[in-house]
């Protein structure tokens, strides 16, 4: 069994974290005057610093996810903060490298560039399945991270757990599994395997199924010694107080009806899109979106845009040529999209003039 601490950069392992104003206060005394943190003393409602350790929110998430609070890091920029910190924790700039499947979420590459870390892209198979041996073959003694997005963005498919766990067993480094879309997937989460695979980091977010994209809250679940390192490296107050309280409140919401409707609408779109002349192929999806190969991605994108519908043009991404990505909308929105796509062959002049 891998010891994840050995992959941490020595300077990070030795880092003394910033001590916030109240870290030394352990409670047990009724404090009525707070003059330790140079805050404005007048009660504006947001004049006090938030809990830098997000204790109440971690307790709520732990209960929801079936893990312990010490397994949780909470990021204030969705999963992107955790992605950036993961490079900082494990990869020595200009020395170490990371591996990622391709095509996949673009922030892995952006964060690698920001941290001056080489990212080695390993192409998915033509059917977008996971190339296990190729991923392992791309690693060398300086490879510290492997990024796997499952369900993957933009291909929408989830990878079998057995394959991901095989990589975690065989890869001499940290395997980071981004489960942003897991609530829409029949494959389910790898969280139950966390204790058995200490070199596994699982990213999740409240931006998708939970409908909190505007709040920008993401999570990294890992072995306690790794979560503790995330806590050391993050900036002290990375998640504001009102957001912490709002997420706690919203965690009492039953999201299943909303998720079930999105899945139902996804299945509807999967049934109806292939019958349209402009659609070449609809790829299988375990997410809240569909990757669709079309006859003319650029013109179709502009045509939809001219009618007030914005989709994601993925046709310039290697491996996704001639594709558009459709997020699943409300039933009314999806009906409108289908109607526009049905009319598209009769609007060639309109679509051409929009380019």
């Amino acid at each position: 069994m891998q010891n994840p601490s050995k992959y941490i950069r020595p300077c990070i392992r030795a880092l003394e974290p910033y001590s916030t104003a109240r870290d030394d206060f352990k409670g047990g005394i009724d404090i009525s005057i707070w003059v330790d943190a140079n805050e404005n003393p007048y009660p504006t409602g947001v004049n006090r610093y938030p809990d830098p350790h997000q204790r109440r929110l971690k307790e709520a998430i732990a209960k929801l996810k079936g893990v312990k609070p010490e397994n949780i890091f909470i990021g204030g920029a969705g999963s992107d903060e955790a992605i950036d910190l993961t490079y900082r924790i494990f990869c020595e700039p200009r020395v170490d490298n990371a591996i990622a499947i391709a095509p996949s979420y673009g922030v892995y590459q952006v964060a690698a560039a920001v941290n001056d870390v080489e990212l080695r892209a390993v192409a998915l198979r033509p059917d977008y399945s996971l190339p296990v041996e190729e991923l392992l073959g791309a690693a060398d003694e300086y490879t510290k991270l492997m990024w796997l997005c499952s369900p993957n963005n933009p291909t929408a498919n989830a990878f079998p757990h057995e394959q991901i766990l095989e990589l975690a067993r065989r890869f001499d480094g940290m395997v980071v599994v981004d489960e942003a879309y897991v609530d829409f997937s029949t494959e389910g989460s790898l969280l139950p395997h966390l204790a058995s695979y200490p070199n596994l980091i699982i990213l999740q977010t409240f931006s998708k199924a939970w409908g909190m994209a505007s709040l920008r809250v993401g999570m990294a679940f890992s072995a306690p010694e790794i979560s503790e390192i995330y806590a050391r490296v993050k900036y002290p107050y990375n998640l504001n107080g009102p957001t912490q309280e709002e997420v706690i409140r919203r965690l009492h919401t039953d999201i299943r009806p909303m998720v079930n409707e999105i899945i139902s609408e996804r299945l509807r779109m999967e049934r109806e899109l292939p019958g349209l002349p402009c659609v070449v192929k609809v790829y299988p999806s375990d997410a809240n979106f569909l990757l669709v190969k079309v006859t003319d991605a650029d013109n179709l994108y502009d045509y939809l845009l001219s009618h007030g519908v914005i989709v994601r043009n993925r046709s310039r991404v290697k491996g996704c040529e001639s594709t558009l990505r459709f997020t699943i909308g409300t039933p009314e929105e999806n009906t409108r999209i289908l109607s526009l796509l049905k009319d598209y062959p009769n609007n060639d002049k309109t679509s051409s003039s929009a380019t």
Side-chain angles (χ1 to χ4, degrees), residues 74-93:
I74 304 175
S79 297
D80 296 346
E81 182 177 1
I83 292 168
D84 177 61
L85 291 184
T86 301
Y87 280 111
R88 288 200 237 169
I89 290 168
F90 295 104
C91 294
E92 200 69 50

Side-chain angles (χ1 to χ4, degrees), residues 195-216:
S196 302
Y197 293 86
N199 67 325
L200 191 63
I201 298 172
I202 299 171
L203 307 183
Q204 291 189 8
T205 180
F206 289 124
S207 295
K208 309 301 181 183
W210 283 88
M212 302 188 216
S214 183
L215 295 180
R216 308 304 298 123

Side-chain angles (χ1 to χ4, degrees), residues 83 87 100 105-115 117-121 147:
I83 292 168
Y87 280 111
Y105 183 40
V107 170
Y108 310 142
Q109 177 62 63
V110 172
V114 167
N115 287 281
V117 173
E118 177 193 0
L119 184 66
R120 300 176 176 181
W147 297 96

